[in-house]
Amino acid sequence: MASQPVTWSSVIKTARGVMTTAQHTLTVFGLSAVAMIALLYHRPDLAKRVSDILSPQHPAPAVVAARPSQNLLKVSAEPVEIANADDKAARPSRQQKYVTDWLSRRYRVAGDAANMLVSTAYSTAHEIKLDPLLILAVMGIESGLNPFAESPMGAQGLMQVMSKVHSDKFEGVGGAQAALNPVANIRVGALILKDYVTRTGSVEAGLKSYVGAGAATDDSGYGSKVLTEYHRLKQVASGKNVPTYFPPAPAPAATPAPATALAQKTPAAKHDAESAETARGASQGGETVAGL
């Protein structure tokens, strides 16, 4: 058979046929893909099966790889839990705000300063397992929340601690010179108070030792003052409206003293007695010897 000559028209016709076939093929594939996507969208179970077929999982390596990550989670979870607990402890509670506001008004201390003192008392109490309201009651009676208070006997700071006697307890907080540091003073005073309460077995006996009257028959009303303030703070913490001023209790009637005894009281001695009685936070005439 004689071969037919190749002409441009035949080439163009063949090319058109190939392009038409390719176009039809792509159209069929496109419609099939759209139909498959629609089917997988409406059949999640079938989509998961197809996914498992296309990307099979290897269970053994996955388990081995998961163990280190689980260990990391256990290791990292502990610091997060501790941090969250610290943040919770650091955040002032509603009762703490009540106590701060009341003490600020009662002792005429700036709100920010009172907040710092109350927060320190609460954090210290949380650490050494002591009632923060008892610490604050001692602070109120001892110094009237004055961090720079000092008695004639040398008791210093908010908790009126004898820094010379308890110099060892100040070693971890900056030494004895830190006695007027509010944070250090609260911590050392609270530790001393906790030690006395633990050793004596009661708060009353612990307060008696704290004021230096452990060997005496009475503490001249010091423990009663602290516990009265403590019960007021408990009422304040519960949200009750407690006044901030309380008139001094009337002194018990005394038997008339002989004229010779009255004549011996000089004006200077009377002035000293009045000053000691009205000094805020001072106990036993301003001569608190906490820890002696």
Side-chain angles (χ1 to χ4, degrees):
M1 294 177 63
S3 60
Q4 296 181 356
V6 178
T7 60
W8 280 106
S9 60
S10 61
V11 173
I12 294 173
K13 185 176 180 181
T14 302
R16 286 179 178 175
V18 172
M19 292 180 63
T20 302
T21 302
Q23 184 177 3
H24 290 167
T25 302
L26 291 175
T27 301
V28 171
F29 276 112
L31 292 175
S32 300
V34 171
M36 182 61 70
I37 292 173
L39 178 62
L40 294 177
Y41 179 78
H42 291 286
R43 294 284 302 276
D45 56 335
L46 183 60
K48 185 177 184 303
R49 193 175 302 171
V50 172
S51 175
D52 293 339
I53 294 174
L54 294 177
S55 58
Q57 297 180 353
H58 305 283
V63 171
V64 174
R67 288 176 183 173
S69 63
Q70 290 174 357
N71 293 334
L72 288 175
L73 287 175
K74 289 180 180 179
V75 172
S76 62
E78 186 175 356
V80 172
E81 184 177 357
I82 293 173
N84 291 339
D86 290 341
D87 292 342
K88 185 176 181 180
R91 288 196 301 266
S93 62
R94 180 175 297 180
Q95 72 158 224
Q96 189 171 330
K97 292 179 180 178
Y98 291 154
V99 170
T100 300
D101 179 67
W102 189 80
L103 289 174
S104 174
R105 290 184 288 110
R106 173 162 170 73
Y107 294 102
R108 299 182 181 180
V109 177
D112 291 340
N115 181 54
M116 186 273 290
L117 299 179
V118 173
S119 299
T120 303
Y122 267 77
S123 60
T124 302
H126 177 76
E127 181 181 349
I128 68 174
K129 310 301 180 186
L130 190 66
D131 193 333
L133 299 181
L134 180 61
I135 297 176
L136 291 169
V138 171
M139 288 167 53
I141 299 302
E142 287 284 359
S143 65
L145 270 60
N146 178 9
F148 306 112
E150 183 170 353
S151 76
M153 294 293 293
Q156 296 176 305
L158 292 162
M159 302 281 286
Q160 289 291 279
V161 180
M162 298 287 288
S163 56
K164 295 180 180 179
V165 177
H166 300 286
S167 57
D168 58 323
K169 294 182 176 61
F170 281 100
E171 289 180 358
V173 290
Q177 62 272 17
L180 297 180
N181 181 310
V183 176
N185 192 278
I186 291 174
R187 178 173 179 79
V188 172
L191 287 172
I192 296 171
L193 179 61
K194 173 68 180 297
D195 181 54
Y196 282 137
V197 172
T198 303
R199 282 198 288 173
T200 59
S202 69
V203 174
E204 292 80 0
L207 290 171
K208 187 178 177 183
S209 297
Y210 186 87
V211 79
T217 55
D218 64 83
D219 58 5
S220 300
Y222 172 79
S224 177
K225 292 177 183 178
V226 172
L227 291 177
T228 299
E229 190 77 351
Y230 170 70
H231 290 304
R232 289 169 183 163
L233 286 170
K234 288 187 68 174
Q235 292 180 330
V236 171
S238 66
K240 294 182 179 180
N241 186 15
V242 180
T244 58
Y245 173 75
F246 302 91
T255 57
T260 55
L262 293 175
Q264 291 176 358
K265 289 188 176 180
T266 62
K270 181 180 179 181
H271 175 73
D272 292 341
E274 292 177 352
S275 300
E277 180 65 25
T278 57
R280 293 171 54 198
S283 59
Q284 289 193 342
E287 296 185 0
T288 298
V289 285
L292 286 181

